[in-house]
Amino acid sequence: MSTTSVRPPATEKRSNVRLQIFGVLWILVLLNFIDRAALSISMPFISEEFDLTPELQGWLLGSFFWTYLLFQIPGGWMLDRFGPRKVVGWAGALWGGFQLLGGLATNGIFLTATRLGLGATEAPVFPAGSKLNSRWLPSRERARGATFIDAAGPFGSAVGGIVVTALIGLTGGWRMAFVITGALTIVVAVLYYLYLKDSPEQHPKVNDAERAYIASDRDVADIDDNAPLPRAVDYVRSSSFWGLWLGRLGWATVWWGIISWTPSYLANVMNFDLAALGWGTFAVYGMGVLGQLVAGWATDRFRARTTDYNRVMKTILAISGVGTIVPILTLPLIDDGYTALVALGIAVFFNQFGGVYWAFPSWLAPKKQVGTVGGVMNVASSAGGGLAPVVMGYAIAAGGGSYTGSFVFLAIAGGLYLLGSMVVNFNKPLAAARRTAAVRG
């Protein structure tokens, strides 16, 4: 529940450094997804060069997520311990290096190794966004902040389709797409490190009015700095925590299944050429950007009108879940490429309402634990990302090239997303520290 606790000075114009901070992070996340999309977009060419079966393509597409998963909790802990500036600055430079090395791969094993490195070093990025959300934004702006950063994901995937196909066309192969995007990531990571500060108090350009504005809202999980924090066991006993985790798992399985296999689906089933492939993926993933922005605006608007956050969030997430599942189930019935783009675009639009999940740690966890909780939540995203390409690859192979089984799998994952989201209690913290009995003398 939000309560106004601090009012900015009436005579001082408020600075807006928080918007610049999120702008810089947005660019880095954008490149994060362009780097990820490079493999999916290039896969029709890579699979031909390295002679990869659908099963092997699925393992290669999913390899990124296994190290991404393993480093989520350590990455979240490092964010809470060392701050987003140092952790993401160094991680960004390293993942740019792994992306660049991918362009030098001589076989599938080499390329897989670079993807494993990419996954490990990209792990702290989204938990960092949640950490900065809790430090740099008042509660009333956090849904928009979360979806703004998360919208860089589908936008990066959309732009990645255009950029990567253009680079392939200009350079005559997929390798320079990896080298150029990796080098650009390193440059932006350095700029991020130079400009970012972990909190408004540390940034010289933040004035007193903006600091007071940021501190003017409190969340349901805000506690005194000296109060006991929830322990791991407190989270494990929380049904809201498990709803959050399973809902995120279902959401990510759908999203990464679409991201991983849409280019191959359009090229191999709908017979899109290189140019049509670039614009087709741009159209599909671009709908996700619109979905993110709609969800962020609607969430903050409706939360401002009521203290019954359950009603607001469960309505928005129910619309998201149903809107994701229905168009996916229509895909096996479609034999026209442009109709398939419409169905995929609708599914992505509603699926990306789930970007508001990144506001949940900043709303429902103590500030000292936001990075760790965000990392644990992103373990679910990583698991979905690792699972979806592999299962879909085997389903496509078993169906003799048909994508019907893979789309049914995504619809089931959409159901998990819907059910998990309905379990979370948005009117209470995810977990509370249990009181200990007083020691008797």
Side-chain angles (χ1 to χ4, degrees):
M1 186 180 301
S2 299
T3 58
T4 302
S5 57
V6 182
R7 293 185 181 275
T11 58
E12 185 178 27
K13 183 178 180 180
R14 187 173 69 226
S15 58
N16 287 305
V17 176
R18 70 192 186 285
L19 305 182
Q20 299 166 20
I21 293 291
F22 274 74
V24 174
L25 181 60
W26 189 89
I27 294 171
L28 192 60
V29 174
L30 174 74
L31 288 169
N32 178 304
F33 272 77
I34 291 176
D35 291 345
R36 298 189 199 187
L39 181 63
S40 297
I41 298 297
S42 302
M43 185 54 73
F45 309 98
I46 294 171
S47 63
E48 182 178 354
E49 180 176 338
F50 293 158
D51 192 25
L52 303 176
T53 65
E55 295 95 329
L56 290 175
Q57 291 177 54
W59 283 107
L60 177 55
L61 288 164
S63 60
F64 164 93
F65 291 98
W66 299 115
T67 47
Y68 191 67
L69 183 154
L70 290 173
F71 282 83
Q72 284 301 318
I73 296 176
W77 176 85
M78 290 175 66
L79 288 166
D80 286 334
R81 176 68 177 81
F82 301 109
R85 177 175 179 260
K86 291 180 180 178
V87 174
V88 178
W90 281 100
L94 288 171
W95 98 57
F98 281 114
Q99 175 75 359
L100 191 153
L101 283 174
L104 307 179
T106 54
N107 53 53
I109 295 175
F110 188 154
L111 187 56
T112 299
T114 66
R115 301 304 288 185
L116 292 171
L118 193 71
T121 49
E122 287 191 8
V125 177
F126 279 97
S130 197
K131 185 76 173 178
L132 291 170
N133 195 318
S134 71
R135 293 292 183 184
W136 276 92
L137 297 179
S139 179
R140 67 177 71 92
E141 293 183 357
R142 289 182 186 170
R144 280 169 289 174
T147 52
F148 173 71
I149 294 299
D150 210 43
F155 188 69
S157 301
V159 171
I162 301 295
V163 170
V164 174
T165 54
L167 289 173
I168 291 172
L170 289 172
T171 63
W174 59 271
R175 296 179 181 277
M176 285 306 296
F178 281 69
V179 172
I180 292 170
T181 55
L184 184 58
T185 297
I186 294 172
V187 172
V188 174
V190 172
L191 295 176
Y192 168 96
Y193 180 82
L194 292 175
Y195 186 74
L196 189 82
K197 299 295 181 185
D198 290 332
S199 68
E201 292 75 22
Q202 297 173 351
H203 205 293
K205 294 186 179 181
V206 178
N207 63 14
D208 290 339
E210 185 174 15
R211 277 190 289 270
Y213 175 73
I214 292 169
S216 65
D217 264 359
R218 292 177 64 84
D219 295 310
V220 296
D222 282 345
I223 59 175
D224 182 80
D225 288 340
N226 296 319
L229 295 170
R231 301 167 300 165
V233 68
D234 297 320
Y235 285 102
V236 170
R237 290 170 174 163
S238 165
S239 59
S240 285
F241 171 79
W242 287 109
L244 174 74
W245 202 89
L246 292 172
R248 189 68 180 178
L249 173 64
W251 174 90
T253 301
V254 174
W255 172 231
W256 287 111
I258 291 174
I259 283 283
S260 299
W261 281 102
T262 289
S264 294
Y265 168 69
L266 295 177
N268 298 332
V269 178
M270 296 301 172
N271 300 313
F272 280 36
D273 60 20
L274 183 62
L277 183 63
W279 286 107
T281 53
F282 178 85
V284 171
Y285 304 150
M287 287 295 291
V289 180
L290 183 59
Q292 293 267 7
L293 298 178
V294 168
W297 172 84
T299 299
D300 279 341
R301 180 180 177 88
F302 295 134
R303 274 174 57 96
R305 295 179 175 181
T306 181
T307 57
D308 186 1
Y309 299 146
N310 267 328
R311 181 179 179 185
V312 173
M313 297 311 305
K314 292 185 180 183
T315 298
I316 289 171
L317 293 170
I319 292 170
S320 175
V322 174
T324 298
I325 296 166
V326 172
I328 287 174
L329 289 175
T330 68
L331 284 167
L333 308 176
I334 295 172
D335 56 11
D336 174 72
Y338 293 103
T339 306
L341 286 181
V342 172
L344 285 166
I346 293 171
V348 167
F349 172 81
F350 285 109
N351 172 263
Q352 288 300 294
F353 280 25
V356 76
Y357 259 65
W358 278 114
F360 298 171
S362 64
W363 281 334
L364 303 177
K367 284 184 170 59
K368 290 181 179 180
Q369 294 181 333
V370 166
T372 302
V373 171
V376 173
M377 186 182 80
N378 217 27
V379 167
S381 296
S382 310
L387 183 68
V390 175
V391 173
M392 292 179 71
Y394 278 96
I396 292 164
S402 169
Y403 280 67
T404 298
S406 64
F407 291 141
V408 172
F409 166 71
L410 292 185
I412 293 171
L416 180 63
Y417 163 49
L418 175 60
L419 291 174
S421 298
M422 296 302 102
V423 171
V424 181
N425 185 342
F426 295 94
N427 291 330
K428 295 172 58 179
L430 282 177
R434 292 194 304 162
R435 295 183 180 179
T436 58
V439 177
R440 295 181 179 180

